Amino acid sequence: MNSHTRALCLLVLSLGIAAPVGSAASAEYPSATVRGSEVRTMESASTGRSYDLYIRKPADFDKNKDKKYPVLYLLDGQWDFKLLDSVVGGLVHDKQMPDIVIVGITYSGDDADYDALRARDYTPTPGDREGSGDGPKFLSFIKTELIPFVEGNYRGDPTRRILAGHSFGGLFTLYAMFTDPSLFWGYLAGSPDISWDNDFLVKQEADFATKHKTLPVRLFMGVGGAEQLVTPSVSFVRTFSARNYNDLHWDARVIEGEGHAGVKPEFYNRGLRFLFH
């Protein structure tokens, strides 16, 4: 076979291989979905915003009509709902935790500006982000609108509520804990923005400590060893741990080598294992 013939054969072969890929890309196929999940929408009177709720039901939810379940209220559901479905599924399989309801909170609309909307809802005070500071309104939405809806429709156990968030979500999680500790049983705060608004969280915790000797919650904090938030997070934990709050069960980890986003799988895995042990 001469070189010209060989080149022609290779061209035909490559076109034959590429054709199915091209046709697959242009065809319409159904999207992959999370099994056992559904989407609900709520219009909030507290914030004036519309939220999509990604809800994952436990495997035996439809069989055990009287059973109540722990509920994980997950901030940034648009990014982390599928991750938590996988993490929880693995831990349930390994008998590290019971099956739970997951409520991923996100925003309605195909073109929702997640960065701007979460900067409004997850920040407890106005800071250097336009529109920030609606944390109190968002906490009111969770307490007076979302929790009653979930516990009324998905048999949520009011003694096993969990709030979980990362970054601004971690900031909001700690803010909620110091504002109304009894609202949730467990708190998972990943890479919290401790420095927000001139160290707002540091001041909030210090004020809380002057008025309370008891903090009856379970708390897990985590931060990546390769992210900038590690230094303020470690400093916060040192001060926080020195308070010796009564009835507080807590743990914190620096997850070595992980950056701001990459820390999430191990943070949520370790955090859920801690809460249920």
Side-chain angles (χ1 to χ4, degrees):
M1 182 183 294
N2 60 39
S3 59
H4 177 75
T5 304
R6 184 181 298 109
L8 182 59
C9 289
L10 288 173
L11 176 61
V12 172
L13 179 60
S14 65
L15 290 174
I17 293 173
V21 177
S23 61
S26 61
E28 299 253 345
Y29 294 100
S31 299
T33 59
V34 175
R35 186 181 298 274
S37 68
E38 57 194 38
V39 181
R40 305 289 294 268
T41 299
M42 291 189 70
E43 297 282 345
S44 172
S46 300
T47 68
R49 286 185 269 283
S50 179
Y51 299 91
D52 283 350
L53 309 175
Y54 300 163
I55 300 177
R56 172 203 183 269
K57 296 183 291 185
D60 65 348
F61 184 86
D62 293 325
K63 296 178 182 178
N64 296 323
K65 299 294 186 180
D66 297 323
K67 183 177 179 180
K68 290 186 180 293
Y69 298 89
V71 179
L72 171 64
Y73 294 86
L74 174 67
L75 306 178
D76 286 323
Q78 70 278 357
W79 296 325
D80 296 339
F81 179 72
K82 289 184 286 185
L83 169 63
L84 265 293
D85 174 66
S86 177
V87 169
V88 169
L91 292 175
V92 170
H93 180 272
D94 289 343
K95 297 181 173 54
Q96 297 292 321
M97 63 176 287
D99 212 352
I100 65 174
V101 174
I102 301 173
V103 179
I105 307 167
T106 185
Y107 300 92
S108 303
D110 294 334
D111 298 317
D113 187 343
Y114 297 129
D115 287 334
L117 290 166
R118 66 193 294 273
R120 291 176 183 269
D121 280 346
Y122 300 170
T123 52
T125 56
D128 58 1
R129 292 288 294 271
E130 182 179 357
S132 58
D134 276 357
K137 296 179 182 179
F138 186 65
L139 184 58
S140 176
F141 159 67
I142 291 175
K143 181 176 182 178
T144 65
E145 300 176 69
L146 180 57
I147 288 176
F149 171 79
V150 171
E151 293 182 356
N153 289 276
Y154 295 94
R155 303 197 303 275
D157 180 353
T159 69
R160 288 293 187 270
R161 299 173 187 149
I162 302 165
L163 180 63
H166 174 266
S167 192
F168 272 168
L171 164 67
F172 179 83
T173 297
L174 292 176
Y175 158 72
M177 184 183 72
F178 290 122
T179 300
D180 190 354
S182 64
L183 186 58
F184 293 93
W185 165 74
Y187 294 84
L188 302 177
S191 303
D193 191 352
I194 301 293
S195 302
W196 172 260
D197 190 19
N198 297 310
D199 300 326
F200 167 83
L201 268 179
V202 175
K203 299 170 186 174
Q204 186 190 25
E205 189 277 331
D207 182 65
F208 183 90
T210 64
K211 302 171 184 176
H212 303 84
K213 301 302 180 183
T214 299
L215 184 55
V217 303
R218 299 182 72 83
L219 166 68
F220 184 85
M221 291 179 60
V223 64
E227 60 173 312
Q228 292 181 346
L229 291 172
V230 66
T231 299
S233 293
V234 169
S235 177
F236 177 84
V237 166
R238 285 175 177 163
T239 302
F240 173 78
S241 64
R243 307 290 189 192
N244 293 317
Y245 291 107
N246 297 322
D247 299 326
L248 170 66
H249 300 274
W250 73 280
D251 194 9
R253 297 289 181 92
V254 174
I255 301 174
E256 293 299 333
E258 294 295 348
H260 187 61
V263 73
K264 289 192 283 187
E266 186 169 351
F267 158 68
Y268 282 121
N269 185 296
R270 288 184 178 274
L272 286 168
R273 287 166 62 182
F274 169 78
L275 291 187
F276 287 101
H277 285 172

